[in-house]
Amino acid sequence: MSNRDDVKDDHSDPLGPSPEVPTEIPAGVDRRKFIMRSAVISAAAVMNGCARSETEQKAPPPAAAAPPAAAAAPSVPLAADLNVVMKAKGPVLTTVDEFYKVGPGPSSSHTIGPMRITYDFYQRATKLPADQLAKATKLQVNLFGSLSATGKGHGTERAALAGLVGKEPATVDPLFLDSLRDKPDQVFPVKLGDKSIDVSLKDVIYDATKGDFKHPNTMTVKLLAGSDVLLEQEYYSVGGGFIEWKGYTPPKKNAPKYPFATMKELRAHADNNKTTIAKIMLANEMSITGKSEADVNAFIDKIINAMTATVKSGLSMPEDDVLPGPIKLHSKAASVFKRAMDDKIEADRGIGALSAFALAASEENGRGHLVITAPTGGSAGVMPALVYGLLEVRKVDRQKVREGMLAAAAIGYLCKHHATLSAAEGGCQAEIGVASSMAAALTATVYDAPSLVVENAAESALEHHLGMTCDPVAGYVQVPCIERCAFGAVKAWTAYAIASNEIASRHRISFDETVIALAQTAKEMNSKYKETSEAGLALSVVLC
Ligand code: SF4
């Protein structure tokens, strides 16, 4: 038990110094703000195990006074029956092979998710009875919300078509996606039973950007017989490449050996068992999936290798390379790396090289090449930068990096569990912020930091991304995304440097408190700053 837990007893209100919250709305105080503040305090109390003040305990629950959704006034309210919303109530059950996904850039939610969705629909369609398939004439995809608003910049229509023709994100050749961009009129036959249906980019429709959607990233896929619908499914790309659909129920899983829903619980398992967060995560991974340690490590090795490959590939691109899209953005990873290596001061070389590694992987994402969601495509430069730097430059033991990947996954799981990994829900804090936090936990774990230091490093990195908006210029995951990955990587290192050198027990803010702030900030953020390219840099930058 750290001293910090003692400190919390004195200041159980994460929003301010006053532990007392009056039952009545005080005169002159905005009702909405009052209710919201009470709701946040309640959530913080539950997650941190802090006792609520006597006055708070007597107060009616916020829902009785007004629905939390109305109080939060989210710009795009999420439907309560989405699993991504509901699962915040149980223990974390996410596994590494669900979390770290290899797929084409530039966006896990707008590229990998839609490709997984149409591939899923294609699989369902193949199972229809032969007499129904015989009638089929057309496949149609409709994109809504953020998928429609910024899908063009993310290549969503190409990804959706690729899934329809049976391509999966992990194995699709990025050159196939490039060919769709270069020759958009191509037509592909899709075999469904004895029937062959021609599909092209014209079958992917950019539909309404605003509406009463269950999730900002909503899409429908239909198999039609003339105007009759043979099969239709509504899907949601809920962030990080995860998908759900109308009526979705999560797959049944085994119970984790060490159930946890908060960092406090996770760290308690580690500390009580005199082990590390990484080892607890490994035990859970094995108990949930039934896999052996060797199988888990084999998967993590695949991801580590893919991460180092994206950095190498990005660094090897010519210095005058120009990324696809209207921004005409020049690649800079190779130049930054070369020049940083000439720096006379070692520390400057280190920061320059780490930045270059992140730029390299992120530029690969911008090219639509294969990247790894950690947690998303837009943030796909952050974790690889640290993995590459630690493994290939510092030559740390690979086993340590495997453990770091597990600790990093725990951070991502908790953010997904209680907040979001989707920029369409939470802005860039949910992408680069979470990635940086994961990378800080990875680094601390690699250097054998105690569990409290791992938590503190992750907390610090996340805390200093809170409020960061998503405003990709022209809807392309390039500006500010590519440089932002470099900043996320450097901030991860800074967070580790502070956490490993401060008195750990004096670190005032817990990771769980910061995740609550992430969720709350996501809810209150204006929708213009949630991957819609309607504000911020997306508005102020003029493309000539
Ligand atoms: S601004 Fe951030 S969240 Fe938005 S697309 Fe870029 S990296 Fe992703």
Side-chain angles (χ1 to χ4, degrees):
M1 180 81 58
S2 75
N3 292 345
R4 195 176 60 204
D5 294 308
D6 304 334
V7 174
K8 262 191 235 146
D9 290 340
D10 297 335
H11 302 285
S12 59
D13 177 351
L15 297 185
S18 169
E20 299 272 313
V21 179
T23 318
E24 300 297 324
I25 300 170
V29 172
D30 179 87
R31 175 184 169 81
R32 184 172 157 271
K33 282 188 187 146
F34 173 82
I35 294 168
M36 174 49 54
R37 188 166 179 274
S38 302
V40 173
I41 292 168
S42 300
V46 170
M47 282 182 73
N48 297 310
C50 294
R52 297 170 72 209
S53 72
E54 201 182 320
T55 320
E56 282 177 90
Q57 286 170 17
K58 283 184 197 149
S75 45
V76 183
L78 298 177
D81 59 343
L82 282 173
N83 184 61
V84 76
V85 175
M86 289 196 300
K87 69 184 157 199
K89 295 184 179 107
V92 169
L93 291 173
T94 315
T95 55
V96 284
D97 55 353
E98 294 170 325
F99 188 74
Y100 293 122
K101 288 181 283 297
V102 179
S107 166
S108 51
S109 58
H110 287 56
T111 315
I112 296 175
M115 195 186 300
R116 291 187 68 207
I117 282 170
T118 49
Y119 183 77
D120 177 83
F121 186 84
Y122 162 73
Q123 299 292 329
R124 290 175 194 231
T126 58
K127 296 187 180 79
L128 283 179
D131 60 326
Q132 289 208 39
L133 288 178
K135 293 186 219 155
T137 55
K138 185 176 169 62
L139 282 155
Q140 182 177 307
V141 180
N142 290 64
L143 306 170
F144 300 96
S146 172
L147 289 179
S148 179
T150 61
K152 286 203 176 104
H154 293 91
T156 304
E157 79 282 14
R158 298 192 291 275
L161 182 63
L164 268 191
V165 303
K167 310 260 184 219
E168 286 188 272
T171 51
V172 66
D173 184 346
L175 293 178
F176 174 77
L177 297 172
D178 288 353
S179 84
L180 292 180
R181 183 184 58 222
D182 299 339
K183 294 185 205 153
D185 295 330
Q186 291 181 80
V187 176
F188 301 90
V190 174
K191 196 97 174 92
L192 288 170
D194 292 336
K195 199 74 192 256
S196 178
I197 298 173
D198 285 346
V199 292
S200 72
L201 288 175
K202 292 195 180 102
D203 296 307
V204 184
I205 296 161
Y206 282 97
D207 214 316
T209 56
K210 301 247 167 28
D212 187 17
F213 313 123
K214 279 194 169 206
H215 189 278
N217 294 331
T218 293
M219 57 194 275
T220 60
V221 195
K222 291 183 203 142
L223 179 65
L224 298 161
S227 56
D228 293 340
V229 176
L230 296 174
L231 181 67
E232 176 173 8
Q233 188 64 57
E234 183 171 304
Y235 289 94
Y236 319 103
S237 178
V238 297
F242 288 90
I243 64 170
E244 291 187 22
W245 48 85
K246 205 172 193 170
Y248 172 86
T249 50
K252 290 265 174 287
K253 293 180 177 174
N254 300 323
K257 183 169 182 188
Y258 300 105
F260 70 91
T262 62
M263 174 56 82
K264 183 172 183 170
E265 291 169 358
L266 173 59
R267 202 158 59 72
H269 284 307
D271 295 348
N272 294 342
N273 289 284
K274 301 201 177 353
T275 186
T276 62
I277 286 175
K279 294 234 161 65
I280 295 291
M281 295 304 294
L282 175 64
N284 279 0
E285 190 74 25
M286 291 164 66
S287 59
I288 292 170
T289 62
K291 285 183 182 172
S292 66
E293 181 174 343
D295 286 345
V296 174
N297 281 340
F299 177 81
I300 293 175
D301 276 348
K302 208 171 87 180
I303 297 300
I304 290 172
N305 293 343
M307 284 185 172
T308 55
T310 61
V311 174
K312 275 184 194 155
S313 168
L315 287 176
S316 71
M317 295 302 285
E319 286 189 59
D320 58 356
D321 184 54
V322 177
L323 299 180
I327 306 174
K328 310 276 179 243
L329 190 69
H330 282 269
S331 156
K332 62 177 81 171
S335 310
V336 170
F337 182 65
K338 221 165 101 186
R339 292 178 187 197
M341 287 300 96
D342 292 338
D343 233 307
K344 292 196 171 48
I345 300 169
E346 190 182 356
D348 292 353
R349 283 202 297 278
I351 293 171
L354 184 61
S355 303
F357 301 155
L359 293 171
S362 187
E363 286 174 355
E364 281 294 274
N365 185 59
R367 291 183 187 99
H369 291 174
L370 290 184
V371 292
I372 303 91
T373 60
T376 62
S379 60
V382 180
M383 281 279 289
L386 273 300
V387 167
Y388 186 89
L390 291 165
L391 204 55
E392 303 286 327
V393 181
R394 295 226 166 168
K395 307 284 183 200
V396 303
D397 183 4
R398 175 172 278 259
Q399 177 55 26
K400 287 283 154 212
V401 180
R402 289 184 189 131
E403 291 171 15
M405 294 289 287
L406 284 163
I411 299 303
Y413 297 173
L414 285 167
C415 291
K416 178 174 181 286
H417 205 63
H418 294 289
T420 177
L421 304 178
S422 163
E425 284 177 52
C428 199
Q429 54 172 357
E431 289 204 14
I432 301 279
V434 175
S436 184
S437 183
M438 290 170 60
L442 164 103
T443 309
T445 302
V446 164
Y447 286 116
D448 286 327
S451 64
L452 181 59
V453 173
V454 174
E455 175 184 349
N456 291 346
E459 185 287 315
S460 193
L462 185 61
E463 179 184 330
H464 300 293
H465 285 89
L466 288 178
M468 188 181 274
T469 61
C470 168
D471 51 356
V473 172
Y476 278 71
V477 190
Q478 296 177 5
V479 179
C481 322
I482 290 171
E483 284 190 3
R484 198 164 273 183
C485 280
F487 280 85
V490 173
K491 272 197 208 178
W493 187 267
T494 307
Y496 162 66
I498 293 173
S500 59
N501 288 311
E502 69 181 341
I503 308 296
S505 60
R506 291 185 194 160
H507 192 92
R508 174 61 184 83
I509 315 293
S510 74
F511 180 77
D512 293 326
E513 286 168 323
T514 303
V515 173
I516 292 172
L518 172 67
Q520 198 53 44
T521 310
K523 278 185 189 159
E524 301 241 307
M525 190 180 281
N526 190 302
S527 68
K528 287 189 201 165
Y529 296 98
K530 294 181 178 180
E531 211 168 9
T532 55
S533 290
E534 290 175 342
L537 280 174
L539 205 63
S540 66
V541 173
V542 179
L543 297 178
C544 314

